[in-house]
Coordinates of all heavy atoms in Angstrom, one line a residue:
Q18 N -14.6 6.9 7.8 CA -13.8 6.9 6.6 C -13.0 8.3 6.6 O -13.5 9.3 6.9 CB -14.9 6.9 5.3 CG -14.3 7.3 4.1 CD -13.5 6.0 3.5 OE1 -13.9 5.0 3.9 NE2 -12.6 6.3 2.6
E19 N -11.7 8.0 6.6 CA -10.9 9.2 6.5 C -11.0 10.2 5.4 O -11.3 9.6 4.3 CB -9.3 8.8 6.7 CG -8.8 8.3 5.5 CD -9.0 6.7 5.3 OE1 -9.6 6.2 6.1 OE2 -8.6 6.3 4.3
T20 N -10.9 11.5 5.6 CA -10.8 12.3 4.6 C -9.3 12.5 4.1 O -8.3 12.2 4.8 CB -11.3 13.8 4.8 OG1 -10.3 14.3 6.0 CG2 -12.8 13.7 5.5
L21 N -9.1 12.9 2.9 CA -7.8 13.0 2.3 C -6.9 13.9 3.1 O -5.7 13.7 3.3 CB -7.8 13.3 0.9 CG -6.6 12.9 0.1 CD1 -6.4 11.3 0.2 CD2 -7.0 13.1 -1.4
E22 N -7.5 15.0 3.6 CA -6.7 16.0 4.4 C -6.1 15.3 5.7 O -5.2 15.8 6.4 CB -7.7 17.2 4.7 CG -7.9 18.0 3.5 CD -9.0 17.4 2.7 OE1 -9.9 16.6 3.1 OE2 -9.0 17.7 1.4
E23 N -6.8 14.3 6.3 CA -6.4 13.6 7.5 C -5.3 12.7 7.3 O -4.6 12.3 8.3 CB -7.6 12.8 8.1 CG -8.8 13.7 8.6 CD -10.0 12.9 9.3 OE1 -10.5 12.2 8.4 OE2 -10.1 13.0 10.2
V24 N -5.0 12.2 6.0 CA -4.0 11.3 5.8 C -2.7 12.0 5.5 O -2.6 12.9 4.8 CB -4.3 10.5 4.6 CG1 -3.2 9.6 4.2 CG2 -5.7 9.7 4.6
P25 N -1.7 11.7 6.5 CA -0.3 12.4 6.3 C 0.3 12.1 5.0 O -0.1 11.1 4.3 CB 0.4 11.8 7.4 CG -0.5 11.1 8.4 CD -1.7 10.7 7.5
L26 N 1.2 13.0 4.7 CA 1.9 12.9 3.4 C 3.3 13.4 3.6 O 3.6 14.4 4.0 CB 1.1 14.0 2.3 CG 1.8 14.0 1.0 CD1 1.7 12.7 0.1 CD2 1.2 15.2 0.1
Q27 N 4.3 12.4 3.2 CA 5.6 12.8 3.3 C 6.0 13.6 2.0 O 6.3 12.9 0.9 CB 6.5 11.5 3.4 CG 8.0 11.8 3.6 CD 8.8 10.6 4.0 OE1 8.3 9.8 4.7 NE2 10.0 10.5 3.7
Q28 N 6.2 14.9 2.1 CA 6.4 15.7 1.0 C 7.8 15.8 0.5 O 8.1 16.2 -0.6 CB 5.8 17.1 1.2 CG 4.4 17.2 1.4 CD 3.8 18.5 1.5 OE1 4.4 19.5 1.2 NE2 2.6 18.7 1.7
D29 N 8.7 15.2 1.3 CA 10.1 15.1 0.8 C 10.4 13.7 0.2 O 11.6 13.4 0.0 CB 11.0 15.5 1.9 CG 11.1 14.5 3.1 OD1 10.2 13.6 3.2 OD2 12.0 14.6 3.9
F30 N 9.4 13.1 -0.1 CA 9.6 11.6 -0.7 C 10.4 11.7 -2.0 O 10.1 12.5 -2.9 CB 8.1 11.1 -1.0 CG 8.3 9.8 -1.7 CD1 8.7 8.7 -1.1 CD2 7.7 9.5 -3.1 CE1 8.7 7.4 -1.8 CE2 7.8 8.4 -3.6 CZ 8.3 7.2 -3.0
D31 N 11.4 10.8 -2.0 CA 12.3 10.6 -3.0 C 12.1 9.3 -3.8 O 12.5 8.4 -3.3 CB 13.7 10.8 -2.7 CG 14.8 10.7 -3.8 OD1 14.4 10.3 -4.9 OD2 16.0 11.0 -3.6
V32 N 11.3 9.4 -5.0 CA 10.9 8.3 -5.7 C 12.1 7.4 -6.1 O 12.0 6.1 -6.1 CB 10.0 8.6 -6.9 CG1 10.8 9.3 -7.9 CG2 9.3 7.3 -7.5
Q33 N 13.2 7.9 -6.3 CA 14.4 7.0 -6.7 C 14.9 6.2 -5.6 O 15.3 5.1 -5.8 CB 15.6 8.0 -7.2 CG 15.2 9.0 -8.2 CD 14.9 8.3 -9.5 OE1 15.4 7.3 -9.9 NE2 14.1 8.9 -10.4
K34 N 14.7 6.7 -4.3 CA 15.2 5.9 -3.2 C 14.2 4.8 -2.8 O 14.5 3.8 -2.2 CB 15.3 6.8 -2.0 CG 16.4 7.7 -2.0 CD 16.6 8.5 -0.8 CE 17.6 9.6 -0.7 NZ 17.7 10.4 0.5
A35 N 13.0 4.8 -3.3 CA 11.9 3.9 -3.2 C 12.0 2.7 -4.1 O 11.3 1.8 -4.0 CB 10.5 4.5 -3.1
E36 N 12.8 2.8 -5.2 CA 13.0 1.8 -6.1 C 13.5 0.5 -5.4 O 14.3 0.4 -4.6 CB 13.9 2.1 -7.2 CG 13.2 3.2 -8.1 CD 14.1 3.4 -9.4 OE1 15.3 3.8 -9.2 OE2 13.5 3.3 -10.5
G37 N 12.9 -0.7 -6.1 CA 13.5 -2.0 -5.7 C 12.4 -2.8 -5.2 O 11.2 -2.7 -5.2
H38 N 12.8 -4.0 -4.5 CA 12.1 -5.1 -4.1 C 11.4 -4.7 -2.7 O 12.1 -4.1 -1.9 CB 12.8 -6.5 -4.0 CG 11.9 -7.5 -3.4 ND1 11.0 -8.1 -4.3 CD2 11.9 -8.1 -2.3 CE1 10.3 -9.0 -3.6 NE2 11.0 -9.1 -2.3
W39 N 10.1 -4.9 -2.6 CA 9.4 -4.7 -1.3 C 8.6 -6.0 -1.0 O 8.2 -6.7 -1.9 CB 8.5 -3.4 -1.4 CG 9.2 -2.2 -1.5 CD1 9.6 -1.5 -2.7 CD2 9.6 -1.3 -0.5 NE1 10.2 -0.4 -2.4 CE2 10.2 -0.2 -1.0 CE3 9.6 -1.5 0.9 CZ2 10.9 0.8 -0.3 CZ3 10.1 -0.5 1.7 CH2 10.7 0.7 1.1
I40 N 8.4 -6.2 0.3 CA 7.4 -7.3 0.8 C 6.3 -6.4 1.7 O 6.6 -5.4 2.3 CB 8.0 -8.3 1.5 CG1 8.8 -7.7 2.8 CG2 9.0 -9.1 0.7 CD1 9.3 -8.8 3.7
T41 N 5.2 -7.1 1.5 CA 4.1 -6.5 2.3 C 4.0 -7.0 3.7 O 3.9 -8.3 3.9 CB 2.7 -6.7 1.5 OG1 2.7 -6.3 0.2 CG2 1.6 -6.1 2.3
L42 N 4.0 -6.2 4.6 CA 4.0 -6.7 6.2 C 2.6 -6.8 6.7 O 2.2 -7.6 7.4 CB 4.9 -5.9 7.0 CG 6.4 -5.9 6.7 CD1 7.2 -5.0 7.7 CD2 7.0 -7.3 6.8
Q43 N 1.9 -5.7 6.4 CA 0.5 -5.5 6.9 C -0.4 -4.8 5.9 O 0.2 -3.9 5.2 CB 0.5 -4.6 8.1 CG 1.3 -5.1 9.3 CD 0.6 -6.2 10.1 OE1 -0.6 -6.0 10.4 NE2 1.1 -7.3 10.5
L44 N -1.7 -5.1 5.9 CA -2.6 -4.4 5.1 C -3.9 -4.1 6.0 O -4.2 -5.0 6.8 CB -3.2 -5.3 3.9 CG -2.2 -5.5 2.7 CD1 -2.8 -6.3 1.7 CD2 -1.9 -4.2 2.0
A45 N -4.6 -3.0 5.6 CA -5.6 -2.7 6.4 C -6.7 -1.9 5.4 O -6.2 -1.2 4.6 CB -5.6 -2.0 7.8
A46 N -8.0 -2.0 5.7 CA -8.9 -1.4 4.7 C -10.0 -0.9 5.4 O -10.4 -1.3 6.5 CB -9.3 -2.5 3.7
T47 N -10.7 0.1 4.7 CA -12.0 0.6 5.2 C -13.1 -0.5 5.1 O -13.9 -0.5 6.0 CB -12.4 1.8 4.5 OG1 -12.4 1.6 3.1 CG2 -11.6 2.9 4.9
H48 N -13.0 -1.2 4.0 CA -13.9 -2.4 3.9 C -13.2 -3.5 3.7 O -12.5 -3.8 2.6 CB -14.8 -2.1 2.7 CG -15.6 -0.9 2.7 ND1 -16.5 -0.6 3.6 CD2 -15.5 0.3 2.0 CE1 -17.0 0.7 3.5 NE2 -16.4 1.2 2.4
P49 N -13.1 -4.6 4.7 CA -12.3 -5.8 4.6 C -12.7 -6.7 3.4 O -11.8 -7.5 3.1 CB -12.7 -6.5 5.9 CG -13.8 -5.9 6.5 CD -14.0 -4.6 5.9
G50 N -13.9 -6.6 2.8 CA -14.2 -7.4 1.8 C -13.2 -7.0 0.4 O -13.3 -7.9 -0.5
L51 N -12.5 -6.0 0.5 CA -11.6 -5.7 -0.5 C -10.6 -6.8 -0.9 O -10.2 -7.0 -1.9 CB -10.9 -4.3 -0.4 CG -11.7 -3.0 -0.3 CD1 -10.8 -1.8 0.0 CD2 -12.3 -2.9 -1.7
V52 N -10.2 -7.4 0.2 CA -9.1 -8.5 0.1 C -9.7 -9.6 0.9 O -9.9 -9.7 2.1 CB -7.9 -8.1 0.7 CG1 -6.9 -9.1 0.6 CG2 -7.3 -6.7 0.1
S53 N -10.0 -10.7 0.1 CA -10.7 -11.9 0.8 C -9.8 -13.0 0.8 O -9.2 -13.3 -0.2 CB -11.9 -12.2 -0.1 OG -12.5 -13.4 0.5
P54 N -9.7 -13.7 2.0 CA -8.8 -14.8 2.0 C -9.3 -16.1 1.2 O -8.7 -17.0 0.9 CB -8.8 -15.2 3.5 CG -10.1 -14.4 4.0 CD -10.3 -13.4 3.3
D55 N -10.6 -16.0 0.8 CA -11.3 -17.0 0.0 C -11.0 -16.8 -1.4 O -11.5 -17.7 -2.2 CB -12.8 -17.1 0.4 CG -12.9 -17.4 1.9 OD1 -12.2 -18.1 2.4 OD2 -14.0 -16.9 2.5
D56 N -10.6 -15.7 -1.8 CA -10.5 -15.4 -3.3 C -9.3 -16.2 -3.8 O -8.3 -16.3 -3.3 CB -10.0 -13.9 -3.5 CG -10.2 -13.5 -4.9 OD1 -10.0 -14.2 -5.9 OD2 -10.4 -12.2 -5.0
P57 N -9.6 -16.9 -5.0 CA -8.6 -17.9 -5.6 C -7.5 -17.1 -6.2 O -6.3 -17.8 -6.3 CB -9.5 -18.7 -6.7 CG -10.6 -17.9 -6.9 CD -10.9 -17.1 -5.7
L58 N -7.7 -15.8 -6.5 CA -6.6 -15.1 -7.1 C -5.9 -14.3 -5.8 O -6.6 -13.8 -5.0 CB -7.1 -14.1 -8.1 CG -7.7 -14.7 -9.4 CD1 -8.3 -13.7 -10.3 CD2 -6.5 -15.6 -10.1
R59 N -4.6 -14.3 -6.0 CA -3.7 -13.5 -5.0 C -3.0 -12.5 -5.7 O -2.4 -12.6 -6.7 CB -2.7 -14.5 -4.3 CG -3.5 -15.8 -3.7 CD -4.0 -15.2 -2.4 NE -4.4 -16.4 -1.6 CZ -5.7 -16.7 -1.3 NH1 -6.6 -15.9 -1.7 NH2 -6.0 -17.8 -0.7
L60 N -3.0 -11.2 -5.1 CA -2.4 -10.2 -5.6 C -1.2 -9.9 -4.7 O -1.4 -9.6 -3.6 CB -3.2 -8.9 -5.8 CG -2.6 -7.7 -6.4 CD1 -2.1 -7.8 -7.8 CD2 -3.6 -6.5 -6.3
S61 N 0.0 -9.7 -5.2 CA 1.2 -9.3 -4.3 C 2.1 -8.4 -5.1 O 2.2 -8.4 -6.2 CB 2.0 -10.6 -3.9 OG 2.6 -11.1 -5.0
L62 N 2.7 -7.5 -4.2 CA 3.6 -6.5 -4.7 C 4.9 -7.2 -4.8 O 5.4 -7.7 -3.8 CB 3.6 -5.3 -3.7 CG 4.7 -4.3 -4.0 CD1 4.3 -3.5 -5.3 CD2 4.8 -3.3 -3.0
H63 N 5.7 -6.8 -5.8 CA 7.0 -7.4 -6.0 C 8.0 -6.3 -5.8 O 8.9 -6.3 -5.1 CB 7.3 -8.1 -7.3 CG 8.6 -8.5 -7.5 ND1 9.6 -7.6 -8.2 CD2 9.2 -9.7 -7.2 CE1 10.8 -8.3 -8.2 NE2 10.6 -9.5 -7.5
S64 N 7.8 -5.2 -6.6 CA 8.8 -4.1 -6.5 C 8.2 -2.8 -7.0 O 7.0 -2.9 -7.5 CB 10.0 -4.5 -7.4 OG 9.4 -4.7 -8.7
I65 N 9.0 -1.7 -6.8 CA 8.6 -0.4 -7.1 C 9.7 0.3 -8.0 O 10.9 0.0 -7.7 CB 8.3 0.5 -5.9 CG1 7.1 0.0 -5.1 CG2 8.1 2.0 -6.4 CD1 6.9 0.8 -3.8

């Protein structure tokens, strides 16, 4: 399990430039049960 200090952070992030439609290409989790292919409900990101 990563510690927060180990996770990089882009400190010059400009929230205005991130606005708009996005698609999810890849997901990974510490516990794969967080997202189950058998779950009848699907969650997807549309935009930021």
